[in-house]
Amino acid sequence: MMTKERTVALIGHPNVGKSVVFSRLTGVSAVSSNYPGTTVEFQEGRVVHNGINLTRYDLPGTYGLTGVTEDEKVATRLLAEKNPDCVVVIADASRLEPSLVLAFQVIELGHPTVLLLNQMDIARKRYTIDVKKLESILKIPVVPSVALTGEGLDELVKLIAHDGGKTSDFRVSYDSHIEDIIKGLEDKVTTWPSANSRRGMVLKLLEGNELFSHLFDESVKLKAEAEKKRFEEHHKEPIEVHMNRDRYGEAGRIISDVVSPIPRKMTRRERASELTMRPWPGIPILLIVLLSVFLIMVVAGATIETVLVVIYKDATSGLFEDLAGLIG
């Protein structure tokens, strides 16, 4: 019986626990490499799970796939070159919004995706996350996790080994002008040589991602540039800036639907902070603090001056008298 092969890419922001997840999934059998022509490092590891060879790639930490920074370029290229069977987007569950924006970009490119909600131990102290509802919105598997303790990682391994991620038809609701531009460019693309989603690649073209521009005919690229110029003239900002703001707006709407704060009593420090953040009594408190600091400085300064003068006189008065006697 032939052994099945499956490739998995782990992607996420810096400091979301991606390396911890990779280490727990792969163990010691990992190799670190620099991407050719760069100093950006990624890791590759292999493990066998129930007769399935899993090759895992730990992509460099990145905040997006727009191809602006070196890390973004390498992460985007690795996804295109490896074309993994599953992309695991590792999110910080305690700060979900930016991770959702990254997940949107992976989904847009047509990659089978799993969302791993890491650091759930921190998130649970602040709010509850309706995982099932989040799954139904994004139309991909969502797995709660605490990588440091291994919570959720067995479920993740079973998922990526046997079912893999799901290609989702979830779409960010962009500005109507942007949607019209996307539709117009998609209509001009008659043949498509890439495994990536046509819509996702059009979005990358509009973002100016040079990695994928060669896949488009010259006429499509010229039309995209003309549309971007018209958009900027009309909206007074680049189209890629507007697109990213729309993604964050979409992430905020989703969070408002699936996240519920946990009611709890405020600590003394939090109550004091709450008081100082309001005009009343925040401004009076500020004035009292400033006046107190001023009075303390004046009174303390005068006291210190008096003490220093007395010490100086006591230390030097005899010296000057002896010196006067010697001179006389």
Side-chain angles (χ1 to χ4, degrees):
M1 184 176 66
M2 291 182 63
T3 303
K4 291 183 179 179
E5 300 281 343
R6 191 178 289 276
T7 57
V8 181
L10 307 182
I11 191 170
H13 295 176
N15 304 317
V16 296
K18 183 165 55 66
S19 296
V20 178
V21 174
F22 180 81
S23 298
R24 280 192 169 269
L25 293 180
T26 310
V28 296
S29 57
V31 178
S32 297
S33 307
N34 282 353
Y35 189 84
T38 73
T39 58
V40 179
E41 187 179 86
F42 72 97
Q43 287 187 307
E44 177 181 346
R46 291 180 173 83
V47 69
V48 178
H49 178 78
N50 290 342
I52 299 175
N53 283 334
L54 294 176
T55 301
R56 295 165 178 151
Y57 299 99
D58 182 12
L59 305 186
T62 179
Y63 292 97
L65 297 174
T66 54
V68 176
T69 67
E70 198 68 26
D71 289 338
E72 288 180 359
K73 290 177 182 177
V74 171
T76 309
R77 285 173 183 162
L78 282 168
L79 283 179
E81 292 170 2
K82 305 299 182 182
N83 192 25
D85 297 302
C86 177
V87 178
V88 179
V89 179
I90 300 174
D92 179 354
S94 67
R95 187 171 171 265
L96 196 52
E97 188 178 49
S99 295
L100 283 181
V101 171
L102 177 59
F104 295 161
Q105 295 176 67
V106 174
I107 292 171
E108 284 172 344
L109 286 172
H111 294 290
T113 308
V114 172
L115 181 64
L116 185 72
L117 297 179
N118 194 31
Q119 300 180 358
M120 280 296 293
D121 52 334
I122 300 174
R124 288 181 185 123
K125 297 176 182 178
R126 304 175 184 174
Y127 41 71
T128 60
I129 300 176
D130 190 334
V131 174
K132 293 299 181 184
K133 191 171 185 179
L134 184 57
E135 284 185 329
S136 68
I137 293 172
L138 297 179
K139 301 175 184 178
I140 60 173
V142 178
V143 180
S145 168
V146 181
L148 289 174
T149 63
E151 178 188 335
L153 297 188
D154 286 342
E155 180 184 349
L156 176 66
V157 171
K158 292 176 184 177
L159 185 65
I160 60 182
H162 301 288
D163 301 322
K166 289 186 177 180
T167 302
S168 172
D169 59 0
F170 168 82
R171 288 188 173 189
V172 174
S173 299
Y174 291 106
D175 179 276
S176 59
H177 190 179
I178 295 176
E179 290 290 351
D180 290 341
I181 293 172
I182 295 169
K183 180 67 168 58
L185 291 173
E186 282 187 288
D187 289 343
K188 283 186 68 70
V189 180
T190 54
T191 59
W192 191 243
S194 173
N196 293 116
S197 156
R198 187 176 309 194
R199 175 183 171 88
M201 299 297 281
V202 166
L203 288 167
K204 292 302 165 207
L205 179 64
L206 291 173
E207 287 176 342
N209 193 317
E210 298 176 356
L211 177 61
F212 302 111
S213 61
H214 70 279
L215 296 172
F216 294 91
D217 295 336
E218 197 62 31
S219 61
V220 179
K221 289 189 280 188
L222 289 173
K223 180 176 174 61
E225 286 301 319
E227 293 287 5
K228 288 171 64 176
K229 185 176 180 182
R230 277 195 289 270
F231 184 93
E232 186 166 353
E233 289 172 353
H234 185 265
H235 293 272
K236 308 303 179 186
E237 68 175 351
I239 191 170
E240 60 269 22
V241 173
H242 202 109
M243 287 164 58
N244 209 42
R245 190 164 64 247
D246 287 345
R247 287 175 182 141
Y248 272 92
E250 189 76 41
R253 286 189 290 272
I254 291 173
I255 289 171
S256 66
D257 283 344
V258 303
V259 173
S260 302
I262 298 174
R264 62 182 181 86
K265 290 184 178 180
M266 296 176 66
T267 63
R268 291 181 180 179
R269 179 178 295 181
E270 289 172 335
R271 283 198 293 269
S273 177
E274 183 72 14
L275 288 174
T276 58
M277 293 298 290
R278 300 174 182 173
W280 174 261
I283 293 176
I285 291 174
L286 174 64
L287 294 175
I288 291 171
V289 170
L290 292 175
L291 180 61
S292 300
V293 171
F294 175 75
L295 291 175
I296 289 171
M297 290 178 65
V298 171
V299 173
T303 303
I304 292 171
E305 179 188 17
T306 301
V307 171
L308 290 176
V309 168
V310 171
I311 293 173
Y312 177 77
K313 284 183 177 180
D314 291 342
T316 60
S317 59
L319 175 64
F320 286 118
E321 289 176 2
D322 292 342
L323 183 60
L326 292 173
I327 295 172

